[in-house]
Amino acid sequence: MGWKTAHIGREGDHFALSGVKVWRQEWRWIGGKTVTLPNPLEPSQTHLYSICEVGHLRQPVRFAASQLPSGLWSFYVPD
């Protein structure tokens, strides 16, 4: 599965995926799965991203998230 950058922002911002406000949902970690992806701010660095879902169980919205050293959060979505 490929991943593409979706968002970089602060915890609690208004980021939404498919109309679902990510920070207003309980994140469901998908079996503890992770993926190593580039830091969008410093592409030469990689970070471990947790693969999560939010939204309704029948139509979940999947993403990968990691807190960056700068305190910002980085989100990727399946490509």
Side-chain angles (χ1 to χ4, degrees):
M1 173 186 303
W3 296 88
K4 63 182 178 181
T5 303
H7 179 72
I8 301 169
R10 300 223 175 267
E11 184 173 340
D13 67 9
H14 298 288
F15 176 52
L17 286 171
S18 300
V20 178
K21 292 185 178 181
V22 172
W23 292 110
R24 293 190 179 180
Q25 300 282 314
E26 182 176 336
W27 296 8
R28 299 183 300 272
W29 273 261
I30 309 303
K33 291 184 182 177
T34 59
V35 62
T36 301
L37 296 166
N39 172 348
L41 299 175
E42 292 289 337
S44 64
Q45 299 175 358
T46 59
H47 287 276
L48 195 61
Y49 284 74
S50 297
I51 300 175
C52 306
E53 289 181 346
V54 293
H56 197 281
L57 291 175
R58 290 188 185 153
Q59 293 182 321
V61 178
R62 186 168 285 194
F63 60 92
S66 180
Q67 188 172 20
L68 303 175
S70 62
L72 296 173
W73 280 82
S74 173
F75 293 84
Y76 278 80
V77 293
D79 192 11

